[in-house]
Amino acid sequence: MAKLKSLAKHQKKSVLNKAIDFFIKSIYHAYFVGGYVRDTTLGLKPVDIDIVVEGNAVKAAKALNLKLKGKLCIYEEFGTASIITEAERIDLASARVEKYSSPAKLPHVYPSTIIEDLNRRDFTINAMVMSISKEDFGEIFDPFNGLKDIKKGLIRVLHKNSFNDDPTRIFRALRYKNRFGFKIEKKTKILMKEAIDKRMIQQLSGQRILNEIKLIFSEKKYQETIKDLSDLLIYKIKKKDLELLPLLGPNRIYLYLSKLDTDGFPLKTEEREIMQDLNKIGSTISRLEKASTNSTICNILSPISDQIIEIIPLIRQELKGKINTYSKLKKIKPFVKGNDLKKLGVRQNRKFKNLLRKMLDLQLDKNIKSKKEAIQYLRNMKIHE
Ligand code: ATP
Ligand code: MG
C-alpha cells in the first residue's frame, strides 16, 4: 500500500513536470490558473491542474497528451479539453491570441483575453495566473490582488454584481471560507446577503443547486458550511439534524436533502427512497425503542432499506441487540404461504395479505411453533366467515 502511494506521488510529480516541460518548449503561451495557483501559493496540494492556453487549447491538449498518454476528453464547442491520467487531472481552456501579441523574448504583455478570463472568475484568490512559458516562467499576474487576500485570509468578489451573475458563487464562497478557515470580506458579505434576500438562489436550476450541495458534502468541513447556509436562512437545518450528519457516513447528504424542497432536483428513485427512510429515522428509532416483541421489530424495520437499518445502532447504540434480532428474524421462512391459504379456500384480497402477516407475526413471537399448528389455528379461526 505504502509502495502504491509513493508510486502515485511519483507519477503525480512527473505528470506535472511533463506538462511544464511541454509548455516551456512549446509554441503555446500557457498559464496555471484558478485553484492551482491559489493552492500552491497556500502551500497546499492542488486537487487538479487548471491551465489557460493562449491559442487553441484543444490542439495543445492533443500534443501534450502524446507525452502524458492519459484519457483525453475534448469539448470542441467550448474550446476546452481535459487530460485524465491515473494520478492527475489537467483541465485546459483557450484564451484567444491577439494579433498584436508580443513577440517572444520581449517581456510578456498579458493579452486582454487573459484579463477577460480573469474578470469572469469568482473570487480574487481564484483570479490569478502563473506563467508556464520559458520567457517568464513562474511570473504571477494578479490584477485583483489575490495574493494579498490569500495572506489576509479573505474571500472577496471581483465586482458588485458577482453573486447576481452567478448565485452558485454563494455556495462556493462558503465552501472556500470553511476549507481554508478564511473570512468573507465585509463588502462581499453584504453583497451575498443582498443576493440571498433577492432570492437569487431560487433562480438556479435544481441540477446546479444539487451539484453545489454535492461539492459541499465532499469537503471535510461540510458541517460548517451547512451551518453557515442555515444561519444565512438559505436552507435552515435543525441542530439535532446537524449533529446527526457525521453519524450517517455517505448517506449524510440524503438526510440533508430530505429536509429541503427537492422537487426540481434530478434524483434517482433509490435516492428518494433513502431520503424518505432518513426523514423518518427519528420516529423509527423511538418506535423501535418501545418495541417489545419480535413481530413489532419486524414490522417496523421491514419497509426500511438495509443501508439505513445499519445506521440505527450508530445513532442509538442500545438498539444494536434489536437490529441483530431483526437480521436473524428476516431469514425465517414462514410456515404459512399464499398457497396454503388458497388450499383452505381463502380468496386473494386485502384480508388474504393481512392473514399471511398475522400468521408470520404469531410464528415470530413463537405463539405458533410448526406448520401443522399454524394450519390448525387457521381452521379454528373459521376464516371464510
Ligand atoms: P477546487 O480545489 O475546489 O477544485 P478550484 O478553484 O480549482 O477549487 P474549480 O471549481 O475547479 O475550483 O474551478 C476552477 C476555477 O474556475 C476557479 O478557481 C475559478 O477561478 C473558476 N470558477 C469556477 N466556478 C466559477 C464560477 N461559478 N464563477 C466564476 N469562476 C468560477
Ligand atoms: Mg479545481
Side-chain angles (χ1 to χ4, degrees):
M1 192 67 190
K3 202 171 169 193
L4 256 182
K5 263 191 188 162
S6 70
L7 192 68
K9 209 171 162 187
H10 173 74
Q11 278 175 346
K12 185 158 191 165
K13 198 170 169 211
S14 82
V15 165
L16 179 63
N17 283 349
K18 280 180 193 167
I20 292 173
D21 269 3
F22 170 83
F23 282 112
I24 283 185
K25 288 176 194 151
S26 85
I27 49 159
Y28 300 102
H29 211 117
Y31 310 84
F32 289 128
V33 69
Y36 187 85
V37 183
R38 179 197 66 220
D39 290 347
T40 40
T41 313
L42 277 164
L44 302 171
K45 195 180 82 179
V47 181
D48 40 31
I49 303 176
D50 289 306
I51 293 177
V52 188
V53 181
E54 276 176 36
N56 191 326
V58 171
K59 269 192 186 162
K62 281 180 185 165
L64 172 60
N65 199 39
L66 291 177
K67 302 220 174 322
L68 297 181
K69 300 188 171 51
K71 185 173 171 259
L72 178 68
C73 307
I74 293 174
Y75 311 97
E76 206 78 59
E77 68 274 33
F78 300 111
T80 65
S82 300
I83 298 174
I84 299 152
T85 70
E86 240 172 76
E88 197 66 272
R89 179 196 168 98
I90 305 185
D91 291 320
L92 299 104
S94 308
R96 265 173 296 120
V97 207
E98 286 154 296
K99 286 193 189 88
Y100 49 86
S101 186
S102 64
K105 299 241 168 81
L106 282 182
H108 186 69
V109 176
Y110 289 90
S112 65
T113 47
I114 288 290
I115 298 169
E116 267 170 37
D117 178 288
L118 293 179
N119 276 335
R120 280 198 303 268
R121 296 198 177 243
D122 46 5
F123 310 112
T124 59
I125 61 164
N126 288 341
M128 298 179 269
V129 291
M130 186 201 283
S131 165
I132 1 178
S133 302
K134 198 173 176 182
E135 60 268 30
D136 52 2
F137 182 84
E139 195 180 293
I140 289 184
F141 178 50
D142 176 18
F144 300 101
N145 288 320
L147 288 176
K148 218 167 160 187
D149 282 341
I150 285 187
K151 276 204 192 106
K152 289 193 199 160
L154 289 178
I155 310 290
R156 187 197 306 266
V157 283
L158 309 189
H159 56 86
K160 66 177 181 8
N161 254 330
S162 189
F163 291 119
N164 299 329
D165 287 351
D166 181 353
T168 64
R169 293 174 186 162
I170 297 170
F171 297 95
R172 293 178 64 84
L174 299 173
R175 200 153 52 81
Y176 289 127
K177 161 189 170 279
N178 294 315
R179 189 197 295 178
F180 302 122
F182 281 12
K183 286 202 164 69
I184 312 268
E185 180 270 333
K186 222 165 126 192
K187 199 151 170 232
T188 302
K189 206 170 191 174
I190 295 170
L191 295 169
M192 183 192 264
K193 285 194 178 143
E194 280 173 8
I196 294 166
D197 289 346
K198 276 199 278 172
R199 299 181 61 76
M200 291 311 293
I201 289 178
Q202 284 71 10
Q203 310 270 330
L204 292 167
S205 69
Q207 174 73 67
R208 292 191 74 198
I209 297 176
L210 182 62
N211 281 348
E212 292 304 320
I213 293 176
K214 283 185 178 165
L215 286 171
I216 289 170
F217 275 89
S218 70
E219 302 260 342
K220 254 198 202 130
K221 298 283 177 73
Y222 70 92
Q223 261 181 302
E224 283 86 337
T225 309
I226 296 302
K227 181 164 185 314
D228 284 341
L229 287 174
S230 188
D231 291 346
L232 286 163
L233 305 178
I234 297 177
Y235 293 128
K236 208 146 174 49
I237 182 167
K238 289 188 185 132
K239 197 163 165 257
K240 76 170 178 27
D241 290 325
L242 188 64
E243 286 164 1
L244 203 54
L245 292 175
L247 301 174
L248 302 183
N251 286 311
R252 56 178 65 119
I253 185 170
Y254 296 112
L255 174 74
Y256 186 61
L257 290 172
S258 77
K259 306 293 170 195
L260 317 183
D261 172 10
T262 57
D263 277 355
F265 289 22
L267 289 159
K268 298 190 193 108
T269 318
E270 307 90 88
E271 292 179 306
R272 293 210 179 266
E273 276 165 12
I274 294 175
M275 280 163 57
Q276 266 171 20
D277 288 347
L278 280 170
N279 207 8
K280 52 179 197 236
I281 199 158
S283 73
T284 305
I285 286 175
S286 57
R287 281 169 67 211
L288 207 55
E289 278 171 329
K290 285 181 212 129
S292 56
T293 61
N294 285 347
S295 57
T296 333
I297 294 176
C298 277
N299 288 327
I300 294 170
L301 293 177
S302 59
I304 292 175
S305 68
D306 285 346
Q307 54 170 322
I308 303 305
I309 292 177
E310 281 168 25
I311 291 169
I312 292 176
L314 303 177
I315 299 171
R316 194 77 85 248
Q317 241 182 334
E318 304 87 291
L319 288 175
K320 201 170 171 57
K322 283 182 181 168
I323 300 294
N324 287 343
T325 305
Y326 174 67
S327 15
K328 285 180 203 141
L329 293 175
K330 80 178 177 181
K331 288 183 200 139
I332 289 178
K333 297 220 164 57
F335 292 144
V336 179
K337 301 206 180 81
N339 261 345
D340 300 311
L341 289 190
K342 272 192 229 156
K343 273 187 211 158
L344 287 167
V346 187
R347 266 178 288 130
Q348 283 196 326
N349 51 23
R350 201 161 57 85
K351 199 172 148 197
F352 189 93
K353 232 174 142 189
N354 288 343
L355 204 49
L356 279 177
R357 182 163 149 180
K358 183 180 166 146
M359 295 312 291
L360 180 61
D361 285 354
L362 288 166
Q363 182 184 345
L364 294 173
D365 294 337
K366 300 201 168 57
N367 291 325
I368 283 175
K369 297 191 183 66
S370 67
K371 178 157 186 167
K372 203 172 151 198
E373 233 182 86
I375 303 289
Q376 193 52 51
Y377 182 94
L378 285 165
R379 288 208 168 105
N380 293 346
M381 268 178 85
K382 300 186 182 141
I383 40 187
H384 308 295
E385 289 163 11

